[in-house]
């Protein structure tokens, strides 16, 4: 078994969560890597939708931004952005969404807006983007975040995106149609919601990680499942595919662009 | 049908954009009108309400140069790279001046543009529920009840920019404008606008437009400026690629106030045209 | 992504359309799914709620053959020719059975489809004001007040047909479907539907689809039937023209109950397939 | 001067009402003939939008239906039908609309829905189509109808489309954004609304028509302007252009279609 980084393990674990044939709303960064890894390994018929309007895209390199030309060229169709959100997401036609954030709480609610008060923030983050409605509508939400006691917090500074709100049936009472968070994939393992309280529970860990490691990296008293599964390390195929994808991506993004002006 | 005037970029901006206006420069990763934004900086426009789904580098530059009093937006980062440091500095430290925010999600801002494009005073979505956006931006977010089902949904006010500025691959000699590839909310921002100004890569005899292409009719366009490379460092599909390396390099340039100001002075204020800017930034073959 | 099954027209209709369902056969002058409508007549479907902006000859035929209990529509005529005599007979004389109407304007029905396509329970428009539609169709038309401006607008309930049936030029082998040319409200009717069934002129290795073409993804399609000439006497752009002469001739055929019934028996009930229908009607080269 | 029919005179009079450069929402039949006649004579830059989604179309023959292939092939762009009504009409981007109807009243309101009661009509007409919102939004509405005492009625059986409602400022009080009817062009002459009461007034007649003819063909006591203009007969150019257009159209619609089935 080759050595691998926690980032690689995270990406592989996220990829494994994707079922072949699922329709997936893809965000940039690790989710994009995970979705394309899944598509290039066990889930060749995964349908990828990027919010830029590229539907059914099959990029050969990962986009740096959500609207790279590569996504348009390999898409089944390229549609106006508003239609992605209305005809696909809001209409309930997306199975899986991927989100990250700067902060998460025990019920899978996310903050990507501010650290500190909204009007006088200490850190102004990028904001909502597609997140609130992705989390509202997808049947199954996957969250991918590095786990630290600073990011897994007792109390969000700002709730950008609703997970299970205050837990229990709060989400369905609020009328949110999608299924809410299915799993939180971290650099240490996976948290999944308790079926009753909807509180995130540590249910699986990566090799070389202990339950105490995970507890220490959490800002609330983390509940632990009765049996904590061990997640199988990346296979050779998974690692090779991911690294080849990332090599192609680095290569594609390295060179400067030169424009020929008309004379 | 009236053919819009083909103007220089300088004249197009000077004629249509005035201090205090609400201006949308749209384009989602693709076709971002950088040349037009730079020209507004050269003309020292101020007190603008800037509208964009993704402020991107061009609004980082305009905000850092003091053009903006307010930002209407849904995601303000350097895509795939990190923060927009000038946007952050304006919000966190009011430098170079305070910046008011009218903040939404992508779905919400798309609904606002679509309502504006459709001549409606508001748009409706299933969204925002259970988020703090609703309280942070109370005056721009309301609820509305379906008169048939009783469902409670979110209502948002229409966006109708005084001026929308787009960059497009082609115009024909009548002034019809082709949009192609990733269009983001360009069509809706164009239809919502009171005045539409377009920069294009080239003017052609016949648009390369299949039957169901996105064509903006000439009679909706107030002015066209031919600006090759006008989207750089964003891209124009089929003309040039996105300069991802520049987006990465911007992170360092923009992090520091002094370095940012010097870069903008050298590359934007001290260049007279977009072609000169492209030369100085080293983007010309 | 799941590839939809390619079925015979008979199997596609038998599997997905049942008595009492709300069914939309869309297509605006262009791409009207005549073959599918004829097959529903052959299968003696009844009590359908039929939805179409422009009922056209195909609904005249289905109504005259007793398939419909209700019609949701916005303009019911033989375009450029005159009345739909079977529709009139059903409304004026309840022959062959009473027909309930849920009547709108084009703008209104487009809004209803768009709301359905968008997952919203209702849509909004500036329209219907000062018309008797509002009282004639009270349960399906309401007012709504803009929470920002106080403007009073018209609200209409979303349309989400149990089944939408379209005719399209091409599907590829994965089941992605291309729409091209005049699309009317086809896209919205497709996105609004619970189940989408498509007939196509041909199956191709690669859709003739430029980057921003209207492509319905395979995973939204429940079944595809390959039916060349499936829009006749409507048309499929690039395949065959609209048979305007047939539209003119229909006026006489449909005017009389007996002649209509005989024509339908001979041409539809007594033909087993659309190819046979085309032969019998004299439309095959 | 060549002889001409009342239909030709009507079409020519309607065409003359169109200013070069105007954006025009075109209905089928006489309006379509008038718009294309105007485009082929004094208004080459007229922008024609048909509700089928064909924007900026320049057909060489008249369409039989509103969605003929000819309209798509000669259009600047072909867009989904809902966008014609939202992005163009409702957004206020259409200058002129043309309508007809089965009945009109003195305030330019139109009926194209039923003769008799709605639920038990003696004649079921086609219905609204685009008419209510065309009349709601265009800056200037032109109405083209043959005038008889049966069609120009004291009381509509059904108000499909709002003109000036009950007259005076009733239309603007109801919040209708467009300008309302500018003129009614008949087979006898033209009626235009009184600027104050908005009642239709006979303001111009065709050659060979008397004011009494027009009064006799009206179901309400028709008001007549102080000076009734005489409308100039069709010019040779107008007649030749219109007849050539209609000849081309007849020719194009005459032949049956034959489909080649795959073997």
């Amino acid at each position: 078994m080759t050595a691998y980084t926690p980032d690689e393990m995270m990406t592989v674990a996220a990829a494994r969560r994707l079922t072949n044939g699922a329709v997936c709303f893809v965000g940039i960064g690790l989710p994009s890597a995970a979705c394309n890894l899944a598509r290039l390994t066990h889930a060749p018929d995964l349908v990828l939708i990027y919010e830029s309007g590229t539907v059914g895209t099959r990029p050969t390199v990962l986009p740096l931004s959500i609207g790279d030309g590569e996504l348009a060229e390999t898409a089944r169709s390229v549609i106006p952005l508003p239609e992605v959100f209305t005809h696909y997401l809001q209409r309930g036609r997306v199975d899986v969404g991927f989100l990250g954030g700067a902060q998460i709480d025990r019920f899978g609610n996310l903050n990507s807006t501010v650290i500190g008060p909204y009007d006088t923030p200490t850190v102004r983050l990028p904001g909502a983007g597609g997140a609130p409605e992705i989390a509202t509508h997808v049947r199954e939400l996957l969250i991918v975040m590095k786990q630290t006691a600073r990011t897994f917090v007792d109390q969000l500074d700002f709730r950008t995106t609703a997970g299970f709100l205050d837990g229990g049936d709060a989400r369905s009472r609020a009328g949110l149609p999608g299924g809410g968070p299915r799993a939180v994939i971290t650099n240490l393992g996976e948290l999944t919601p308790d079926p009753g309280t909807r509180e995130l529970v540590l249910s699986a860990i990566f090799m070389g990680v202990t339950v105490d490691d995970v507890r220490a990296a959490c800002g609330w008293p983390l509940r632990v499942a009765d049996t904590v599964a061990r997640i199988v390390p990346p296979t050779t195929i998974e690692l090779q595919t991911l690294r080849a994808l990332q090599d192609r991506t680095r290569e594609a993004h390295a060179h400067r662009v030169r424009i020929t002006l008309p004379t | 049908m009236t053919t819009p005037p083909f103007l220089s970029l300088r004249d197009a901006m000077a004629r249509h954009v005035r201090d205090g206006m609400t201006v949308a420069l749209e384009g989602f990763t693709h076709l971002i009108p950088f040349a037009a934004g730079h020209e507004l900086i050269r003309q020292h426009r101020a007190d603008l309400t800037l509208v964009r789904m993704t402020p991107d580098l061009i609004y980082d530059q305009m905000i850092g140069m003091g053009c903006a009093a307010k930002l209407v937006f849904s995601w303000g980062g350097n895509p795939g790279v990190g923060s927009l440091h000038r946007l952050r500095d304006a919000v966190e430290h009011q430098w170079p001046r305070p910046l008011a925010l009218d903040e939404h999600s992508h779905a919400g801002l798309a609904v606002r543009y679509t309502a504006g494009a459709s001549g409606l005073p508001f748009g409706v979505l299933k969204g925002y529920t259970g988020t703090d956006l609703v309280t942070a931006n109370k005056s721009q977010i309301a609820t509305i009840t379906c008169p048939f089902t009783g469902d409670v949904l979110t209502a948002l006010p229409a966006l109708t920019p005084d001026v929308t500025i787009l960059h497009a691959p082609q115009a024909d000699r009548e002034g019809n404008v082709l949009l192609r590839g990733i269009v983001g909310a360009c069509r809706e921002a164009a239809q919502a606008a009171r005045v539409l100004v377009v920069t294009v890569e080239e003017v052609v005899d016949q648009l390369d437009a299949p039957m169901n292409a996105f064509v903006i009719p000439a009679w909706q366009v107030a002015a066209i400026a031919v600006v090759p490379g006008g989207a750089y460092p964003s891209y124009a599909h089929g003309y040039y690629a996105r300069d991802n390396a520049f987006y990465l390099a911007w992170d360092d340039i923009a992090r520091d106030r002094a370095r940012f100001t010097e870069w903008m002075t050298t590359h934007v204020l001290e260049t007279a045209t977009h072609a000169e800017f492209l030369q100085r930034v080293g983007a010309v073959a």
Side-chain angles (χ1 to χ4, degrees), chain A, chain B:
Chain A
M1 181 56 54
T2 333
Y4 56 89
T5 67
D7 256 25
E8 286 172 335
M9 182 68 247
M10 236 172 130
T11 308
V12 166
R16 288 178 187 159
R17 286 259 169 196
L18 296 166
T19 316
N20 195 22
V23 177
C24 192
F25 204 103
V26 189
I28 220 62
L30 196 145
S32 179
C35 288
N36 282 289
L37 174 59
R39 191 173 59 76
L40 295 170
T41 53
H42 68 280
D45 294 330
L46 205 62
V47 177
L48 305 189
I49 301 180
Y50 288 74
E51 66 196 12
S52 55
T54 53
V55 179
T57 188
R58 299 170 186 187
T60 53
V61 302
L62 296 175
L64 182 70
S65 170
I66 203 95
D68 284 13
E70 172 75 9
L71 295 177
E73 271 159 18
T74 60
R76 286 288 163 279
S77 69
V78 181
I79 64 175
L81 178 142
E83 291 178 11
V84 177
F85 285 95
T86 53
H87 290 190
Y88 288 87
L89 191 59
Q90 189 170 262
R91 183 66 184 87
R93 299 210 186 268
V94 179
D95 298 316
V96 188
F98 258 116
L99 292 177
Q103 293 180 333
I104 186 171
D105 70 15
R106 78 192 65 195
F107 295 115
N109 304 297
L110 296 167
N111 172 20
S112 57
T113 302
V114 284
I115 304 298
Y118 181 77
D119 290 322
T120 55
T122 53
V123 182
R124 174 64 227 198
L125 302 164
E133 285 74 29
I134 292 172
T136 298
H137 295 290
V138 293
R139 276 184 255 296
E140 183 173 319
L141 181 66
L142 299 175
I143 297 170
V144 190
M145 279 176 71
K146 279 194 190 155
Q147 190 179 334
T148 71
R150 271 182 47 237
T151 55
F152 281 57
V153 297
D154 189 52
Q155 183 72 40
L156 298 179
D157 287 18
F158 189 95
R159 191 158 71 198
T160 312
T161 300
F164 289 113
L165 297 171
D166 300 325
D169 62 351
R171 180 184 167 93
S172 56
R173 272 190 291 111
L176 295 166
R182 178 69 59 100
V184 181
I185 299 136
T186 76
N187 53 321
L188 303 174
E190 294 184 358
L191 286 60
T192 45
D194 177 279
T197 66
R198 306 293 191 178
E199 183 174 334
L200 293 172
V201 176
L202 179 65
S203 55
I205 50 178
F206 295 153
M207 305 298 280
V209 173
T210 67
V211 168
D212 283 347
D213 292 340
V214 186
R215 277 211 173 100
C218 191
W220 70 82
L222 181 65
R223 288 186 50 209
V224 177
D226 294 341
T227 51
V228 175
R230 286 258 157 211
I231 292 173
V232 177
T235 65
T236 308
I237 293 275
E238 285 169 335
L239 263 192
Q240 282 175 348
T241 307
L242 177 60
R243 287 173 183 177
L245 179 62
Q246 287 173 328
D247 287 346
R248 287 198 299 278
T249 300
R250 254 188 302 275
E251 166 65 22
H253 293 172
H255 46 81
R256 284 288 304 271
V257 168
R258 293 289 175 277
I259 296 170
T260 307
L261 294 178
T263 47
Chain B
M1 184 202 57
T2 44
T3 293
F6 286 79
L7 303 177
S8 70
L9 177 59
R10 181 181 299 165
D11 289 349
M13 293 300 118
R15 187 178 294 185
H16 291 291
V17 182
R18 288 184 296 280
D19 290 353
M21 276 185 165
T22 297
V23 182
L25 284 74
E26 264 305 335
F28 200 85
T29 308
H30 182 215
L31 293 175
I32 300 176
F34 268 87
H38 287 170
E39 183 56 31
L40 295 174
I41 293 169
R42 286 190 198 102
Q43 295 184 14
H44 301 287
R45 288 282 73 76
D47 292 321
L48 299 177
T49 291
L50 291 178
V51 186
R52 253 186 81 73
M53 302 199 60
T54 54
D56 204 81
L57 273 49
I58 187 61
Y59 277 17
D60 209 35
Q61 296 175 352
M62 293 178 76
I63 291 164
M65 296 300 281
C67 302
K70 186 175 178 179
L71 179 67
V72 183
F73 78 114
S74 48
W75 192 85
N78 181 345
V81 178
S83 291
L84 292 176
H85 298 291
R86 296 299 97 222
L87 167 56
R88 281 189 57 182
D89 206 8
V91 174
E92 293 169 13
H93 309 107
Q94 295 77 52
W95 190 93
R97 52 160 297 168
L99 182 70
L101 299 181
D102 175 3
E103 181 165 3
H104 291 270
S105 69
H106 281 351
L109 205 47
V111 161
R112 295 191 63 189
Y113 272 133
T114 302
S118 302
L120 293 173
F122 71 103
V124 176
L125 82 162
K126 282 188 194 161
Y128 289 54
T129 307
T131 76
D132 289 338
L133 276 172
V134 175
T135 42
N137 196 9
K138 222 178 304 233
S139 70
Q140 302 297 307
I141 303 170
T143 57
I144 197 157
T145 303
C146 173
F148 304 101
T149 63
D151 291 347
V152 178
L153 295 110
T154 297
L156 302 173
L159 263 173
T160 51
D162 294 316
V163 186
T164 288
I165 301 172
L166 300 181
H167 185 71
Q170 298 179 339
D172 65 18
R173 292 180 203 288
E174 280 182 350
N176 300 295
V177 172
L178 173 68
L179 294 173
R180 192 173 46 194
I182 290 176
V183 296
C186 283
R187 289 161 64 254
E188 289 73 17
Q191 301 279 11
R194 296 199 172 81
V195 167
L196 173 65
V197 180
V198 181
T199 61
V200 296
E201 288 293 326
E202 59 174 341
V203 178
V204 296
D205 290 327
Q206 178 80 37
L207 295 179
D208 181 16
M211 193 171 275
N212 300 115
F214 301 141
V215 176
I216 302 172
W219 44 276
Q220 279 186 38
V221 184
I224 297 178
V226 184
V227 187
Y232 176 89
S234 162
Y235 73 108
H237 210 124
Y239 293 86
Y240 47 91
R242 186 174 192 263
D243 196 345
N244 287 324
F246 184 87
Y247 274 82
L248 290 163
W250 181 252
D251 191 62
D252 268 347
I253 298 168
R255 199 177 287 270
D256 178 74
R257 288 178 189 173
R259 185 163 174 209
F260 163 77
T261 306
E262 193 210 316
W263 193 95
M264 290 301 292
T265 304
T266 308
H267 291 84
V268 179
L269 293 181
E270 293 180 354
T271 55
T273 66
H274 190 64
E276 253 186 70
F277 162 79
L278 290 175
Q279 287 285 358
R280 192 157 300 183
V281 83
V284 177

